[in-house]
Amino acid sequence: MTIENSLLQKMRQDAVDIFNEGLGAVDPKICVHRCCRLKNNVLKVNNKAYNLDKFERIIVLGAGKAGASMACAVEEILQDRITAGIVIVKYNHIENLKRIAIVEAGHPVPDTNGVAGAEKLLKMARQADDKTLVICLISGGGSALMTLPAHGITLENKQKTTKILLGCGATIHEINTIRKHLSRIKGGLLAQTVYPAPMICLVLSDVVGNDLDIIASGPAVADKGTFGQCLEIIETYGIKDHLPKTVLQHFKKGSKNLIPETLKQGDPVFENVFHTTIASNINALLSAEKKARQLGYHTQILSSMIEGETTDVADVHTAIAREILATGHPLKPPACILSGGETTVTIKGKGKGKGGRNQEFALASAIRIKDLEHIVILSAGTDGTDGPTDAAGAVADHTTIQRAVALDLKPELFLEENNAYPFFDRISDLFKTGATNTNVMDLRIMLIR
């Protein structure tokens, strides 16, 4: 192995080590234990205390990719004080739980398991009263996993609508505004169901800005969105003619007040609800930054709130890499640029490509740095899943395009067709972690020497 190859391999391993350090900081079990303490039968959640002697029952409800791990920590803390519970998680995102049932369901497109799980969850929620303490565990993915279509809307309607929204370039805020208005459990309706029972909501954020009403579509939060805004989103992305007619009719009826709105600020059902965010993307970035410094890199966190079209974000990141190499600004090499958030991919062509926003970011970046040496880029989802694939993301460096061309691959064509997965699969640069049981959006790591 040449010195240059040895350096490149070390940088690639450094990128993986930095990612894993960031991932460790948002381990749901650690995060739940950090904010919840039980002493003398008093449960303290940050600075709020609950005397468990006042309650006859404790039930645990939840949905999201981190649901099982969060539930595991709650069982470790409360043990046999838990009366019953149910969490809905993505397939294979499981733990060995004793008192809380797990339902595995489809994500990002909802399925029948998600509907059945949501029905069971809502049935358990209806049993709550003022002598019941409800602990709600919310994490990314909850919108798809906890699916309970509004009256008159079928699961097939929601599945088709979800697929269209995921491919049109809409942001997660816009997608979840629509999801809330097609649901019998989101947009504060779960809080309404358990009222007047006190509810503790532990939230692992996968949303830019940590907006509680957007994470898992806010089942226990007042909703800022309206039916009218749903119609505006549909017009903005030109998807009106592609959506099921029953969905459009539902929104039109809602905008005319013929269907009740989601619950809004000031509704009494939220008086007994306490929310706390136990971790978010910035926690992962700060831990990753610490690791990068230990490895000898000058570090810079750009932001934990980066949104926008994936290829545009790749343009900005690779431009920063060029600046570092050319002028030593904003950092001198060896440099580590970190960023987080959630970009969007607008599906082009016939929509038959396979990949995700992280793989697309890595491919777009690889094309832009093909003439630059000693740059390694790793982009991956903290949940271990990038789009509908088994990869968390991908790794790219200045040899990526060279190796692809040697195999007669045309990188620009793969990018144009949103087909990054088979591209990176052919050159063995997919980044696979398996299910991580957490989710705080994406981490992008760019190393420059």
Side-chain angles (χ1 to χ4, degrees):
M1 182 181 293
T2 65
I3 293 175
E4 181 174 329
N5 286 341
S6 178
L7 175 61
L8 193 60
Q9 290 303 316
K10 183 183 185 306
M11 291 175 68
R12 291 168 72 97
Q13 185 58 53
D14 285 349
V16 172
D17 291 344
I18 291 167
F19 178 87
N20 287 337
E21 195 73 17
L23 197 63
V26 290
D27 181 301
K29 294 179 186 178
I30 294 172
C31 296
V32 170
H33 277 285
R34 189 164 52 218
C35 75
C36 299
R37 296 283 187 274
L38 181 66
K39 186 176 180 180
N40 298 327
N41 222 32
V42 174
L43 177 65
K44 280 195 174 182
V45 183
N46 289 337
N47 295 323
K48 194 169 181 65
Y50 294 83
N51 186 345
L52 300 187
D53 291 331
K54 294 182 178 180
F55 301 102
E56 296 175 357
R57 305 171 72 245
I58 297 176
I59 63 173
V60 180
L61 310 173
K65 297 175 187 176
S69 291
M70 295 172 77
C72 185
V74 170
E75 282 195 346
E76 289 170 354
I77 294 167
L78 295 177
Q79 299 181 21
D80 59 2
R81 294 175 181 82
I82 297 171
T83 308
I86 182 171
V87 292
I88 309 171
V89 303
K90 185 175 178 177
Y91 291 109
N92 299 318
H93 288 56
I94 59 176
E95 296 276 356
N96 183 21
L97 302 182
K98 298 177 180 178
R99 306 188 71 85
I100 301 169
I102 290 178
V103 174
E104 297 177 72
H107 178 280
V109 178
D111 65 5
T112 54
N113 271 19
V115 175
E119 291 279 12
K120 293 176 182 177
L121 189 150
L122 204 60
K123 182 179 180 180
M124 189 174 291
R126 292 192 187 104
Q127 299 170 8
D129 55 25
D130 57 1
K131 294 294 184 181
T132 305
L133 177 62
V134 180
I135 299 176
C136 188
L137 309 176
I138 297 298
S139 60
S143 293
L145 296 166
M146 189 166 52
T147 294
L148 203 57
H151 296 295
I153 303 297
T154 66
L155 173 60
E156 290 74 19
N157 292 155
K158 292 202 72 171
Q159 289 173 327
K160 184 175 181 179
T161 300
T162 299
K163 290 177 182 177
I164 292 169
L165 288 169
L166 292 173
C168 73
T171 67
I172 191 63
H173 288 72
E174 293 166 329
I175 292 172
N176 284 2
T177 294
I178 288 179
R179 281 168 159 168
K180 282 184 280 189
H181 287 83
L182 291 174
S183 175
R184 284 185 283 135
I185 199 167
K186 304 180 180 79
L189 296 179
L190 180 60
Q192 183 183 59
T193 304
V194 304
Y195 182 79
M199 177 185 260
I200 302 168
C201 286
L202 306 180
V203 181
L204 191 76
S205 173
D206 73 326
V207 168
V208 169
N210 302 331
D211 295 335
L212 293 174
D213 68 315
I214 299 299
I215 303 167
S217 297
V221 185
D223 182 25
K224 300 172 187 174
T226 64
F227 279 107
Q229 287 177 349
C230 291
L231 291 172
E232 291 172 6
I233 293 166
I234 291 167
E235 288 294 334
T236 297
Y237 292 96
I239 56 177
K240 180 179 178 181
D241 295 335
H242 302 287
L243 292 174
K245 291 182 180 179
T246 51
V247 169
L248 284 174
Q249 291 169 355
H250 181 79
F251 290 147
K252 288 176 181 178
K253 287 181 181 178
S255 67
K256 295 175 183 178
N257 298 319
L258 299 177
I259 296 174
E261 256 291 359
T262 47
L263 301 192
K264 306 303 179 187
Q265 193 70 40
D267 194 298
V269 305
F270 300 116
E271 291 176 358
N272 294 337
V273 181
F274 173 69
H275 280 86
T276 185
T277 302
I278 63 173
S280 65
N281 189 264
I282 191 62
N283 299 109
L285 285 173
L286 289 169
S287 185
E289 181 185 42
K290 183 178 179 181
K291 180 64 175 180
R293 286 176 176 166
Q294 290 173 354
L295 291 170
Y297 293 92
H298 304 118
T299 65
Q300 178 72 60
I301 295 176
L302 296 183
S303 173
S304 65
M305 303 184 186
I306 291 179
E307 298 178 282
E309 190 68 26
T310 300
T311 52
D312 294 338
V313 175
D315 284 341
V316 174
H317 281 66
T318 52
I320 293 171
R322 286 183 176 276
E323 190 71 45
I324 289 172
L325 287 172
T327 70
H329 293 285
L331 299 171
K332 292 181 180 180
C336 174
I337 298 294
L338 297 161
S339 72
E342 187 168 288
T343 61
T344 53
V345 174
T346 302
I347 302 300
K348 302 181 286 290
K350 297 180 181 179
K352 295 182 179 180
K354 182 179 181 180
R357 57 184 179 264
N358 289 287
Q359 294 160 59
E360 180 136 333
F361 176 89
L363 178 52
S365 297
I367 293 170
R368 288 151 178 77
I369 64 166
K370 62 183 179 181
D371 60 333
L372 301 176
E373 294 185 355
H374 303 147
I375 297 177
V376 169
I377 296 172
L378 168 59
S379 184
T382 54
D383 59 355
T385 306
D386 186 33
T389 76
D390 61 354
V395 184
D397 58 46
H398 73 278
T399 72
T400 298
I401 303 304
Q402 297 171 16
R403 289 181 284 123
V405 171
L407 293 173
D408 293 326
L409 303 180
K410 297 179 180 179
E412 289 80 5
L413 182 60
F414 280 89
L415 182 62
E416 184 180 331
E417 295 178 347
N418 307 111
N419 205 23
Y421 183 95
F423 175 87
F424 283 110
D425 192 28
R426 286 286 304 276
I427 62 173
S428 301
D429 272 346
L430 288 169
F431 180 62
K432 297 184 179 182
T433 63
T436 64
N437 285 18
T438 191
N439 186 16
V440 294
M441 301 183 287
D442 304 330
L443 293 183
R444 289 174 290 273
I445 300 160
M446 188 163 61
L447 304 180
I448 305 104
R449 283 190 180 273

